[in-house]
Amino acid sequence: MIVVLLGPPGAGKGTQANILCKSKELFHFSTGDILRDEIKKKSEIGQKIESIINAGKLVGDEIIIKIVEKILSEELSRNKGILFDGFPRNVDQARGFEELLKKKKQKIDCVIHILIDEEEIIKRIQKRQSEENRDDDNVDVLKSRLDVYLKETTPLIDLYKKNNILKTLDGMQAIESVSNDMSKSIDEI
Ligand code: AMP
């Protein structure tokens, strides 16, 4: 099973992915977590991408697609499915993803779009900054991340709506209610 989580920064994708992956035995694939790990390790990729992430911009598609290809090969057979949190982030990544899945005789089963308003996003990111100390969680970088989300990522909403695989959920609800809605969406697949 292939599930994609779509939503702006602060929508709760990571939190919800953690809950859902445990209950549905899915592999949680967060491109953001993998990239942050590369930075921590000071790997070659990590050094290339640090300033991009800290500026709130998107890392190049080539790097991302390579990471996704590796994870698909390793984790598809080991798990009931994979939940993608933070990928794809633009139309080119969505196309690349489709090609990779086709090679593996797979397709996206469901795209869960978490809807949340901007005021709430700012509140949540400020809270997360005090808890996790992420370099890209401050109001200036958030503006850039939101801008990137609107320009690059929101076109995917229409794309997946046309493919009839999009489910939009109210991300303003309590964490547990959002999880319940997500769980139902996955059960309907
Ligand atoms: P996230 O943890 O999903 O909020 O991602 C944090 C940052 O990692 C983003 O602001 C981007 O700089 C980078 N990133 C994560 N996923 C992707 C992706 N699919 N494509 C490009 N950049 C990404």
Side-chain angles (χ1 to χ4, degrees):
M1 182 194 298
I2 302 287
V3 179
V4 170
L5 280 190
L6 260 188
K13 297 190 296 297
T15 305
Q16 293 299 339
N18 279 327
I19 297 171
L20 222 66
C21 285
K22 267 189 208 129
S23 63
K24 307 285 177 198
E25 293 175 53
L26 301 173
F27 179 77
H28 178 193
F29 179 44
S30 157
T31 37
D33 282 350
I34 290 186
L35 297 170
R36 280 185 289 277
D37 204 44
E38 293 294 328
I39 294 175
K40 222 188 267 168
K41 287 191 296 196
K42 299 193 188 306
S43 68
E44 202 178 315
I45 290 186
Q47 290 176 35
K48 257 193 219 163
I49 62 172
E50 185 166 13
S51 60
I52 301 173
I53 292 197
N54 290 346
K57 303 273 189 295
L58 288 187
V59 170
D61 294 339
E62 209 178 305
I63 292 179
I64 300 291
I65 292 287
K66 257 191 208 150
I67 294 174
V68 173
E69 188 166 22
K70 185 168 175 279
I71 294 289
L72 269 180
S73 302
E74 290 171 357
E75 302 296 343
L76 254 181
S77 56
R78 285 193 210 153
N79 298 277
K80 280 196 182 160
I82 302 180
L83 187 139
F84 287 84
D85 157 15
F87 173 86
R89 275 298 225 271
N90 62 28
V91 172
D92 283 341
Q93 289 184 10
R95 289 204 187 105
F97 191 30
E98 219 180 287
E99 277 171 32
L100 288 179
L101 290 175
K102 219 183 257 173
K103 276 193 221 158
K104 305 265 176 211
K105 301 196 174 9
Q106 297 279 332
K107 60 172 177 44
I108 302 175
D109 295 290
C110 182
V111 177
I112 298 177
H113 168 216
I114 309 177
L115 202 61
I116 171 176
D117 69 33
E118 201 170 317
E119 205 180 312
E120 180 68 18
I121 292 173
I122 294 170
K123 258 199 250 162
R124 290 189 189 181
I125 293 288
Q126 281 172 332
K127 184 167 175 278
R128 189 167 72 186
Q129 189 187 23
S130 62
E131 289 166 355
E132 294 180 20
N133 225 356
R134 263 173 62 167
D135 285 339
D136 61 346
D137 275 347
N138 62 63
V139 174
D140 282 342
V141 180
L142 178 63
K143 272 190 196 136
S144 164
R145 289 164 67 202
L146 277 176
D147 209 39
V148 168
Y149 178 75
L150 287 177
K151 283 195 192 124
E152 306 256 353
T153 312
T154 54
L156 300 182
I157 296 170
D158 271 349
L159 183 90
Y160 292 131
K161 207 185 272 174
K162 276 185 202 141
N163 295 354
N164 270 326
I165 50 173
L166 188 85
K167 306 236 167 150
T168 298
L169 303 182
D170 176 7
M172 304 285 285
Q173 307 174 87
I175 292 177
E176 202 179 61
S177 308
V178 179
S179 311
N180 286 339
D181 285 356
M182 280 195 182
S183 182
K184 274 185 216 146
S185 298
I186 291 185
D187 290 341
E188 283 166 8
I189 293 174

